[in-house]
Amino acid sequence: MFFSTPVLKKSALAQTKMPYPKTKTFYEILPLCGKDRVVTRRSKPPGSSCTQELQALFQCLKKWEFDDIPCTNQHKIYYKCVENTEKAAAEYREAARKGNLGEGSSGSLSPVQFNKIASMFPQPDLGKKPFIQMKRLPQQDYADDIFRRKGLKGKAS
């Protein structure tokens, strides 16, 4: 499907201002649909790694020359953060085991969940290797230069 600018007349070209508004052209080289799979990466459970609390604990220990009695408050804060992170990781693992949609509070799908749903609704001729990038669709005319290769030098066909 091609949209083209209107044909300009000689009288219109002589004027300094364009009589037509600028138009955007859209070239549909591939149909607008996604692939059947996405790359699966190891997903981490949500939660912080408690680096700020650990850094505050080490600063306190350095200040008091590694005497841990004045730093009991930082110890408690750090251990509370670690417990909260472990609890969030356990909830994440439990939700992943049950197969609930979405990752915790973010509500987005994990790559494994997306691939499972996408396999139920496969796209025709897409997502299969080798990918056919330059494939003419049935409704496209042979005279159209849809791949913009008309002016390229190459093997004469």
Side-chain angles (χ1 to χ4, degrees):
M1 171 188 324
F2 285 100
F3 301 116
S4 61
T5 57
V7 179
L8 300 175
K9 298 179 182 176
K10 288 183 181 180
S11 61
L13 290 174
Q15 297 176 356
T16 57
K17 194 173 184 182
M18 291 283 290
Y20 303 105
K22 290 184 180 179
T23 59
K24 305 264 183 200
T25 58
F26 173 74
Y27 298 101
E28 184 181 353
I29 296 175
L30 285 176
L32 298 175
C33 60
K35 296 180 182 177
D36 288 338
R37 298 185 56 79
V38 292
V39 178
T40 56
R41 295 189 180 111
R42 184 174 174 259
S43 57
K44 294 182 180 179
S48 66
S49 58
C50 304
T51 53
Q52 292 178 346
E53 291 83 358
L54 186 63
Q55 188 175 12
L57 174 62
F58 283 141
Q59 283 177 355
C60 179
L61 288 173
K62 184 178 179 182
K63 178 181 175 183
W64 294 102
E65 297 178 357
F66 296 97
D67 184 19
D68 60 344
I69 294 173
C71 302
T72 55
N73 189 24
Q74 281 81 4
H75 271 282
K76 290 177 185 175
I77 292 172
Y78 175 67
Y79 282 126
K80 189 182 293 184
C81 178
V82 169
E83 287 174 7
N84 291 340
T85 304
E86 287 177 357
K87 189 185 297 182
E91 289 174 2
Y92 176 80
R93 276 187 252 114
E94 183 68 25
R97 190 179 60 80
K98 286 182 179 178
N100 294 344
L101 294 180
E103 293 181 354
S105 61
S106 66
S108 62
L109 293 174
S110 68
V112 175
Q113 292 169 341
F114 179 81
N115 287 339
K116 190 174 186 180
I117 293 173
S119 65
M120 294 182 212
F121 307 100
Q123 300 291 327
D125 296 332
L126 288 177
K128 297 177 185 171
K129 292 184 179 180
F131 300 116
I132 303 171
Q133 295 278 332
M134 294 182 159
K135 184 177 179 183
R136 190 176 304 276
L137 297 175
Q139 68 267 20
Q140 293 172 334
D141 191 17
Y142 283 99
D144 292 338
D145 185 26
I146 61 172
F147 305 120
R148 300 186 207 133
R149 299 173 60 94
K150 194 172 269 187
L152 297 177
K153 293 182 180 179
K155 179 180 161 186
S157 51

